[in-house]
Amino acid sequence: LEGISGSWSPSNINTAILGTSTYTFTPDPGQCAATVTQDILIDTGINPTFSNVGPYCQGDNPSPLPSSSNNNISGSWNPAVINTANSGSYTYTFTPDPGQCGDTAYMTVQVTHPITPQFNAVGPYCRGEAFTLPTTSINGISGSWSPAINNTQSTTYTFTPNAGQCANVATMRVEINQPVLPTFSPVGPYCRGEAFTLPTFSLNGISGTWSPAINNMQTTTYTFVPNAGLCAQNKNITVIVRQPANPSFSFATQYCLGQIPVVLPSISNNSITGTWNPTSINTTLSNTSTVTFTPDPGQCSNNKSVIIIVDSLIT
């Protein structure tokens, strides 16, 4: 610095050897100057340290790599940006800026392939039947569904994984069946007191039970309730129970002894067919007797008894 020229021994700084080395400056002859020494310290390079980043999910948009290490070494990365286009393990190299006693550093960044959430099949359900959707997939992905559950029609639901999980969006379609209306052949009409039953299976294969209990004394509306687990509606049917008709006749019922009686009609005035017992009127003896009309089967009518009077001749 004072303009003294000279030479050093050793002549060059050797950075290959760690530690302190002494270098001696000897002034050139003819200068009134003293020999001097200088100690040079060769230190180890500083290893830049960084907090781990990742792992990232394929397709993520990560923050830039830090331009300064945790121990304040500035520098640059190669590659400069984390690439998440493909899954795998990638190494990034940090090179300290010049003028810093820093070593090259390396960072391995993991990019994982997204998991597709898996679910057991759900449904089908009957319209109006309550159901839920699982919030965690079979392979451990938690999340939420949209839209809100609709139990009145078939819907496709979307499962969105919770943040922080490397997982894809998934969809699930839940089918909602419309209830079947049971169908039955016509039942009745019946005559009061006539026994009848109601079928426990509809024509379209729906099983169930009826209420109220069968009443064969009057017209009643019955409700068919399908058995549990069948997607079917209730069904009402009305069974008509008729009140028996009374056969009516207009033939003569009083005779004179020996008079020729009428032939008993096989059809009543109100169109009921049947038979008589006895089959004819006896006028050979004076007496009071009864003939009974029994309607043929399949007609809702009562028996009819007629009193026949045969009088003696008056002298």
Side-chain angles (χ1 to χ4, degrees):
L1 298 177
E2 301 91 343
I4 306 298
S5 63
S7 59
W8 289 93
S9 178
S11 58
N12 294 301
I13 297 175
N14 183 1
T15 60
I17 301 174
L18 294 177
T20 301
S21 299
T22 300
Y23 293 79
T24 303
F25 180 79
T26 303
D28 291 333
Q31 300 173 99
C32 187
T35 297
V36 295
T37 60
Q38 184 166 321
D39 291 334
I40 303 295
L41 173 64
I42 306 302
D43 202 354
T44 58
I46 300 172
N47 184 26
T49 58
F50 297 92
S51 300
N52 290 332
V53 296
Y56 296 104
C57 189
Q58 186 176 343
D60 277 354
N61 185 22
S63 300
L65 288 166
S67 59
S68 180
S69 68
N70 294 341
N71 49 351
N72 299 318
I73 305 297
S74 63
S76 58
W77 291 92
N78 184 31
V81 177
I82 296 175
N83 183 0
T84 62
N86 297 295
S87 59
S89 183
Y90 301 94
T91 299
Y92 294 81
T93 302
F94 179 80
T95 301
D97 292 334
Q100 301 174 100
C101 190
D103 289 334
T104 299
Y106 303 92
M107 182 184 294
T108 299
V109 177
Q110 192 73 30
V111 178
T112 59
H113 189 76
I115 298 171
T116 298
Q118 297 175 354
F119 299 92
N120 290 323
V122 175
Y125 296 103
C126 190
R127 186 185 65 194
E129 183 179 355
F131 68 92
T132 60
L133 294 172
T135 56
T136 301
S137 69
I138 295 172
N139 49 349
I141 305 300
S142 62
S144 58
W145 294 92
S146 64
I149 288 177
N150 183 350
N151 64 357
T152 64
Q153 63 182 19
S154 298
T155 305
T156 297
Y157 299 91
T158 299
F159 179 81
T160 302
N162 291 335
Q165 300 174 103
C166 187
N168 294 318
V169 170
T171 59
M172 179 189 295
R173 184 166 180 82
V174 179
E175 296 294 334
I176 302 295
N177 294 329
Q178 300 305 306
V180 176
L181 181 64
T183 58
F184 298 92
S185 297
V187 179
Y190 297 102
C191 191
R192 187 185 66 191
E194 182 179 353
F196 67 91
T197 60
L198 295 171
T200 57
F201 275 87
S202 69
L203 296 178
N204 49 348
I206 306 299
S207 62
T209 56
W210 294 92
S211 64
I214 288 176
N215 183 351
N216 65 355
M217 300 303 291
Q218 63 183 19
T219 297
T220 304
T221 297
Y222 300 91
T223 300
F224 180 79
V225 179
N227 290 333
L230 301 174
C231 188
Q233 303 177 42
N234 290 359
K235 171 72 173 181
N236 292 334
I237 66 169
T238 298
V239 179
I240 296 174
V241 175
R242 294 174 177 169
Q243 300 306 307
N246 289 314
S248 62
F249 299 94
S250 57
F251 58 82
T253 60
Q254 189 166 357
Y255 297 92
C256 193
L257 183 67
Q259 184 179 351
I260 298 174
V262 299
V263 176
L264 294 172
S266 60
I267 301 177
S268 69
N269 295 342
N270 51 348
S271 302
I272 298 171
T273 64
T275 57
W276 290 92
N277 183 32
T279 59
S280 62
I281 296 173
N282 182 7
T283 61
T284 61
L285 297 172
S286 60
N287 65 88
T288 299
S289 62
T290 300
V291 291
T292 301
F293 179 81
T294 302
D296 292 333
Q299 302 174 100
C300 188
S301 59
N302 294 317
N303 291 355
K304 174 72 172 181
S305 293
V306 179
I307 296 175
I308 304 297
I309 298 173
V310 179
D311 289 328
S312 299
L313 292 174
I314 300 173
T315 302

